[in-house]
């Protein structure tokens, strides 16, 4: 679902707040005391909506050094380019979170506009320039680290060493858990072979589990990988059950 000239591109796109709740099985009632990192957040609006509601969320991405006006252009350009590439491919989408292509497009537009507005306002406090596999945070800084639409999805252009070192780095800065979504490849919607390799390589030191999620959009993308430190308690971050939510515009 990409144009022919995008074989090596990592898209600067964003998913919305409500998508994050479903992609990562998050329950807001249990996150009040949690410090959360959205790693490689792109133009997602999760951090914006969470901080507006009083949650402690930091977003990190390689492009967050850019001026807000330049960031707006990057967000809109990648969105428009990808929408052009999606034209005529509606039958390849697993409609569930969205009813149709038009609703999806309007939601995505609102998402990057919400991101752009918050980035302009809070660039110096909530948005940190960072490039995996190196993060500019101390050990155990965050209870929960979320990683959306980078690892496993782009396994045709990010090799296994990058995946392993990036995940180890996210574990380092987390005191409790790392969650990664989706587990499928961009090119064919099959589960990345790296998932099993990561589980095998890290399971001696960490607890790794694949969990089903309710989110539906990309075919086959109904699972996330949860990586927990051993031992850990769920005293401050209970991360399993989804709150009832109403998606704007649905």
């Amino acid at each position: 679902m990409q144009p022919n000239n995008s074989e090596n591109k990592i898209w600067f796109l964003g998913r919305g707040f409500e998508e994050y709740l479903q992609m990562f099985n998050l329950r807001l009632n249990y996150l009040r005391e949690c410090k959360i990192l959205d790693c490689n957040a792109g133009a997602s609006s999760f951090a914006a909506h969470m901080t507006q509601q009083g949650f402690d969320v930091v977003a990190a991405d390689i492009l967050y050094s850019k001026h807000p006006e330049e960031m707006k252009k990057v967000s809109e350009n990648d969105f428009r380019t990808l929408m052009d590439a999606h034209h005529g491919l509606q039958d390849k989408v697993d409609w569930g979170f969205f009813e149709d292509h038009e609703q999806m497009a309007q939601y995505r537009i609102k998402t990057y506009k919400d991101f752009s507005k918050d980035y302009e306002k809070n660039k110096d406090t909530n948005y940190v320039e960072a490039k995996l596999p190196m993060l500019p945070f101390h050990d155990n800084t965050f209870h929960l680290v979320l990683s959306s639409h980078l690892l496993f999805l782009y396994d045709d252009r990010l090799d296994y060493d990058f995946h392993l070192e990036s995940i180890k780095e996210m574990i380092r800065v987390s005191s409790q858990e790392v969650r990664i979504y989706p587990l499928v490849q961009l090119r064919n919607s099959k589960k990345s072979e790296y998932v099993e390799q990561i589980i095998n390589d890290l399971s001696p030191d960490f607890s790794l589990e694949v969990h089903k999620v309710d989110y539906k959009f990309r075919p086959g993308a109904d699972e996330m990988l949860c990586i927990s430190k051993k031992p850990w308690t769920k005293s401050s971050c209970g991360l399993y059950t989804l709150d009832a939510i109403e998606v704007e515009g649905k």
Side-chain angles (χ1 to χ4, degrees):
M1 297 169 66
Q2 289 188 334
N4 293 332
N5 63 351
S6 63
E7 292 183 357
N8 296 312
K9 181 175 177 60
I10 306 295
W11 295 97
F12 187 79
L13 300 171
R15 272 70 188 181
F17 166 70
E18 297 88 355
E19 288 182 279
Y20 267 64
L21 296 184
Q22 290 194 7
M23 291 188 305
F24 295 109
N25 285 353
L26 298 177
R27 184 171 181 175
L28 296 182
N29 289 342
Y30 292 115
L31 299 179
R32 287 290 174 188
E33 303 302 319
C34 290
K35 187 174 180 65
I36 303 170
L37 173 65
D38 184 8
C39 191
N40 52 268
S44 295
S45 63
F46 178 72
H49 284 267
M50 289 290 279
T51 54
Q52 288 169 12
Q53 297 180 57
F55 292 90
D56 189 353
V57 179
V58 172
D61 195 277
I62 188 175
L63 296 185
Y64 285 167
S65 63
K66 292 184 179 295
H67 187 276
E69 287 301 319
E70 185 179 5
M71 189 65 80
K72 286 181 183 179
K73 293 178 181 178
V74 172
S75 302
E76 184 170 354
N77 179 71
D78 273 19
F79 168 77
R80 298 297 179 187
T81 301
L82 199 60
M83 287 302 98
D84 289 343
H86 282 186
H87 184 69
L89 298 176
Q90 290 89 334
D91 60 331
K92 298 185 182 297
V93 173
D94 186 5
W95 298 114
F97 185 85
F98 302 109
E99 294 178 359
D100 52 35
H101 185 271
E102 178 61 27
Q103 186 192 51
M104 182 270 290
Q106 293 304 313
Y107 183 87
R108 291 274 187 264
I109 291 171
K110 182 180 185 302
T111 293
Y112 78 69
K113 287 185 175 180
D114 287 348
F115 157 75
S116 296
K117 182 178 179 180
D118 193 64
Y119 181 81
E120 182 175 9
K121 179 180 178 182
N122 297 307
K123 178 182 182 299
D124 296 330
T125 55
N126 296 343
Y127 296 90
V128 177
E129 180 186 9
K131 180 181 180 180
L132 286 171
M134 297 288 290
L135 296 174
F137 306 109
H138 296 299
D139 295 358
N140 304 314
T141 298
F142 304 94
H143 294 93
L144 173 65
V145 178
L146 305 176
S147 182
S148 164
H149 292 85
L150 178 70
L151 299 175
F152 304 126
L153 187 69
Y154 288 102
D155 69 357
D156 60 336
R157 59 207 75 176
L158 300 172
D159 65 19
Y160 182 72
D161 286 342
F162 176 86
H163 279 70
L164 182 60
E165 294 308 311
S166 295
I167 292 172
K168 285 181 176 179
E169 182 71 350
M170 290 190 292
I171 293 171
R172 180 187 67 80
V173 303
S174 169
S175 64
Q176 289 194 5
E177 190 167 312
V178 174
R179 295 193 168 200
I180 304 169
Y181 175 91
L183 307 185
V184 298
Q185 302 165 320
L186 181 64
R187 60 187 180 275
N188 57 22
S189 293
K190 293 182 180 179
K191 184 180 288 187
S192 171
E193 294 180 358
Y194 291 169
V195 175
E196 185 175 355
Q197 288 181 263
I198 288 292
I199 292 174
N200 290 337
D201 285 344
L202 296 182
S203 58
D205 300 310
F206 307 101
S207 174
L208 293 93
E209 296 181 337
V210 173
H211 289 278
K212 286 286 187 179
V213 300
D214 291 332
Y215 182 76
K216 287 185 178 181
F217 181 66
R218 183 177 297 277
D222 61 350
E223 295 176 325
M224 68 171 171
L225 179 64
C226 300
I227 307 170
S228 302
K229 288 191 170 180
K230 300 178 183 178
W232 74 289
T233 63
K234 207 166 57 171
S235 59
S236 59
C237 280
L239 306 172
Y240 291 102
T241 307
L242 179 69
D243 269 340
I245 59 172
E246 181 177 347
V247 178
E248 187 168 344
K250 294 189 72 174

